[in-house]
Amino acid sequence: MARPKKKHNKEIFALGNEAVVEGALLAGCNFYAGYPITPSSEIMEIMAQRLPTIPNGAFVQMEDEIGGLGAIIGASLAGRKALTATSGPGFSLMQENLGYGCITETPLVIVNVMRGGPSTGLPTSPAQGDVQQARWGTHGDHSIIVLSASNVQECLEMTIEAFNLAEKYRTPVILLIDEITAHTREKIIIPNEDEYEVFNRTLPTMPPEWYKPYEETVRGVPPMPAIGSGYRFHVTGLTHDVNGFPTSRPDEVRELNERLFRKIDQFLPDIQLVDEIDTEDAEVAVIAYGTVARSAELAVKQARALGVKAGLLKLKTLFPYPRKATEKLMYRAKTIIVPEMNMGQISREVKRVNNGQVSVRTINKVDGQIITPAEILKVLTRV
């Protein structure tokens, strides 16, 4: 018998925004709602073309970003894998509904293509000014997962990861990329089906009359049926009991809020993703994310060629912040450099972890221009 031919990976040239779409479709996304805004608009435009061609795919252009996030919350509750994309001003409009998604434990993915701000700011220029907003933008104590991508291939891979984490932990997941990554065109590899994992939300196995939508479980993540599948449950933005109905009883309020944090915190090794480059013997190390991590990787390579023991910790997960990976790096390196296209947002997390252990230096740029490898190399060699 002839051997079956191995299916070769498909290679395409794509923008970062196009790669987000490819990753979303591979992850099983079948619903998109949103409103176009530079520099994320290509995601919406391509989704408008692609979703109607797949089984049960649906695309809706909403009146604004408030409606966009509201629509994907509803779609997710109805059993869809849902996505929206935006940029700074639109992300600001989403914050109230983001909190609603957190307290109702609704799996969804938001891609924020960061641009210069505040306000209308620099619509076509890169920035990384939305990092702390992604973590704390919606009011009240809440847990959230925030991811980042530094190149076009990672835009695909981290979008798949975003959907998997959203489904696994019943939570909104935010993917932050910047204008440069979004509009960089590179060759990417579309993985075969056996080369990546797709995780779907856990469904209830008990009879509908026994189901309690927010009941404690071993993982802290309750099973989630689709509305209309025979399981009835109440959905509210008010603090609720295990049946989903509003409560102000202190014990029930405490149990809900603590579980919302615990379901994330007890699985940090699964969530906190980083790449370590030349960190084994690094005496000076860079902690970077997004496009700036690409500049940092080249700067580290050039510094090594000059005899500097440099390394890079590239953050793919921004929140929950990868504390252990940072502490491990600080045991070896004497100096940490944190370059960012903002006034210092992830550097706050680095300094919090550091607690005076090593010297932390920042490189900050807020003029709409990328931080170049030469600028990082200059600091590496000085140190």
Side-chain angles (χ1 to χ4, degrees):
M1 292 180 63
R3 293 182 180 179
K5 292 183 179 180
K6 177 176 171 57
K7 186 178 179 181
H8 293 289
N9 294 100
K10 180 181 177 182
E11 296 183 352
I12 64 171
F13 280 93
L15 297 175
N17 281 342
E18 293 178 276
V20 166
V21 173
E22 296 294 339
L25 296 176
L26 290 174
C29 175
N30 54 10
F31 186 88
Y32 184 100
Y35 189 81
I37 181 172
T38 303
S40 72
S41 296
E42 292 89 354
I43 298 173
M44 184 172 181
E45 291 166 2
I46 300 168
M47 275 296 195
Q49 297 172 337
R50 298 283 296 276
L51 274 178
T53 69
I54 68 172
N56 298 317
F59 172 91
V60 184
Q61 177 169 332
M62 300 300 291
E63 71 278 9
D64 56 27
E65 291 84 355
I66 300 172
L69 185 49
I72 70 167
I73 289 172
S76 181
L77 290 169
R80 299 296 189 103
K81 285 191 175 182
L83 169 71
T84 192
T86 189
S87 188
F91 192 53
S92 294
L93 289 175
M94 291 182 177
Q95 295 307 311
E96 183 176 4
N97 271 344
L98 178 56
Y100 187 82
C102 289
I103 199 167
T104 58
E105 299 179 72
T106 305
L108 57 89
V109 177
I110 302 169
V111 178
N112 177 9
V113 184
M114 294 181 288
R115 69 191 215 186
S119 189
T120 309
L122 298 168
T124 60
S125 297
Q128 295 176 318
D130 301 351
V131 171
Q132 290 292 341
Q133 182 188 24
R135 176 60 188 91
W136 296 111
T138 194
H139 64 277
D141 276 333
H142 64 283
S143 191
I144 197 82
I145 297 174
V146 182
L147 307 178
S148 177
S150 65
N151 57 53
V152 178
Q153 185 70 44
E154 283 184 9
C155 285
L156 181 150
E157 294 168 357
M158 296 309 291
T159 302
I160 296 174
E161 191 68 39
F163 274 98
N164 284 343
L165 293 175
E167 295 283 316
K168 191 180 295 186
Y169 299 109
R170 277 194 66 174
T171 183
V173 176
I174 300 165
L175 174 60
L176 295 180
I177 59 178
D178 55 71
E179 185 276 333
I180 291 178
T181 304
H183 290 150
T184 296
R185 186 179 295 277
E186 296 176 314
K187 182 164 70 174
I188 63 170
I189 297 172
I190 307 296
N192 296 324
E193 290 182 2
D194 60 350
E195 295 177 325
Y196 65 95
E197 177 189 19
V198 172
F199 193 96
N200 297 313
R201 66 194 65 174
T202 302
L203 299 175
T205 56
M206 72 285 288
E209 61 269 20
W210 293 0
Y211 176 64
K212 295 182 179 179
Y214 299 101
E215 190 172 28
E216 179 66 271
T217 66
V218 174
R219 294 178 57 244
V221 183
M224 183 180 180
I227 287 178
S229 63
Y231 289 81
R232 297 183 63 183
F233 59 96
H234 190 256
V235 181
T236 177
L238 290 166
T239 301
H240 45 264
D241 60 18
V242 295
N243 293 307
F245 291 101
T247 181
S248 57
R249 279 179 46 180
D251 58 329
E252 293 178 333
V253 173
R254 184 186 66 254
E255 287 170 5
L256 172 64
N257 285 320
E258 289 180 350
R259 182 177 61 76
L260 291 178
F261 275 85
R262 188 173 64 255
K263 72 176 183 179
I264 303 296
D265 293 344
Q266 68 180 343
F267 296 106
L268 293 181
D270 183 52
I271 297 169
Q272 294 174 329
L273 308 175
V274 300
D275 283 345
E276 297 183 65
I277 300 167
D278 293 327
T279 58
E280 298 83 2
D281 63 343
E283 295 180 355
V284 55
V286 182
I287 298 177
Y289 58 95
T291 295
V292 180
R294 299 189 74 166
S295 293
E297 187 170 354
L298 179 55
V300 165
K301 182 179 180 180
Q302 293 171 335
R304 286 262 168 183
L306 296 172
V308 178
K309 291 184 178 180
L312 169 64
L313 180 65
K314 181 169 73 173
L315 306 179
K316 292 183 174 179
T317 300
L318 302 184
F319 297 102
Y321 182 76
R323 184 186 187 100
K324 286 190 175 180
T326 303
E327 288 177 334
K328 180 181 174 183
L329 185 63
M330 288 174 173
Y331 290 143
R332 295 190 293 262
K334 300 174 183 177
T335 302
I336 303 292
I337 300 168
V338 188
E340 300 180 84
M341 292 187 289
N342 56 48
M343 293 301 291
Q345 297 196 19
I346 279 296
S347 63
R348 293 172 181 264
E349 303 301 314
V350 176
K351 291 173 182 176
R352 179 176 58 84
V353 173
N354 178 37
N355 196 26
Q357 185 176 342
V358 300
S359 173
V360 177
R361 300 193 181 189
T362 62
I363 304 173
N364 303 110
K365 207 167 184 179
V366 289
D367 59 0
Q369 301 297 309
I370 189 174
I371 298 175
T372 65
E375 289 172 312
I376 299 172
L377 179 63
K378 185 176 180 181
V379 179
L380 281 171
T381 53
R382 278 182 179 176
V383 170

